[in-house]
Structure formats: C-alpha cells, structure tokens
C-alpha cells in the first residue's frame, strides 16, 4: 500500500496509511520509513483496527496505555 494516495502529507517521515472496511469494521495497515514512526503507527493500528467507526470515535488511548503498563505487556 505504499502509494502516493496513502502517503500522509506534512510528516517529516514518510508514513503510508491504508484502511479497508470488512463486515462493518475498519482494518488499517500502515508503514513508515522511520523506526520511531513505524512503532507509533503500530500502536495506533493495534488500538483502532478491527473496530467499527463508533468504537474508533470513542477510543481512549489513556486507558489502553494504562492497561498495558499495569499488565507490563
């Protein structure tokens, strides 16, 4: 999915983001040419992918982080 249409404009690093809809859920895939950005995008995909649009809109990243920190995942 590394095509210009999926390239996020305005980033210092090159980031490609692609979304598909399957059975009412959004499936994200992404890549970056920078390691740090690639890791951040991976976290976002893990939180947001495979959910419907209402679930994505109410995603709470603080809760996700706190759960992982407490479970040392």
């Amino acid at each position: 999915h590394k095509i210009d249409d999926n390239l996020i404009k305005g980033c210092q690093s090159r980031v490609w983001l692609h979304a598909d809809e399957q059975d009412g859920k959004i499936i994200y895939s992404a890549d970056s040419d920078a390691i740090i950005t690639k890791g951040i995008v991976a976290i976002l995909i893990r939180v947001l992918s495979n959910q419907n649009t209402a679930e994505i809109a109410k995603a709470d990243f603080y809760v996700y982080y706190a759960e992982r920190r407490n479970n040392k995942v």
Side-chain angles (χ1 to χ4, degrees):
H1 300 287
K2 287 185 178 181
I3 60 173
D4 284 343
D5 285 346
N6 294 340
L7 189 61
I8 297 176
K9 311 287 188 271
C11 289
Q12 276 188 319
S13 301
R14 295 177 55 138
V15 179
W16 296 268
L17 179 65
H18 179 77
D20 279 321
E21 189 261 329
Q22 296 176 358
D23 300 323
K25 297 191 180 222
I26 308 299
I27 311 299
Y28 291 102
S29 60
D31 199 3
S32 176
D33 61 355
I35 294 171
I36 297 291
T37 309
K38 191 178 284 202
I40 293 168
V41 169
I43 291 168
L44 290 172
I45 288 174
R46 189 164 191 177
V47 172
L48 299 176
S49 198
N50 228 359
Q51 298 189 57
N52 63 44
T53 55
E55 293 168 324
I56 292 169
K58 65 180 182 181
D60 187 341
F61 291 95
Y62 180 77
V63 169
Y64 177 82
Y65 172 75
E67 287 174 355
R68 297 310 177 269
R69 186 172 181 204
N70 290 337
N71 292 330
K72 296 184 178 13
V73 173

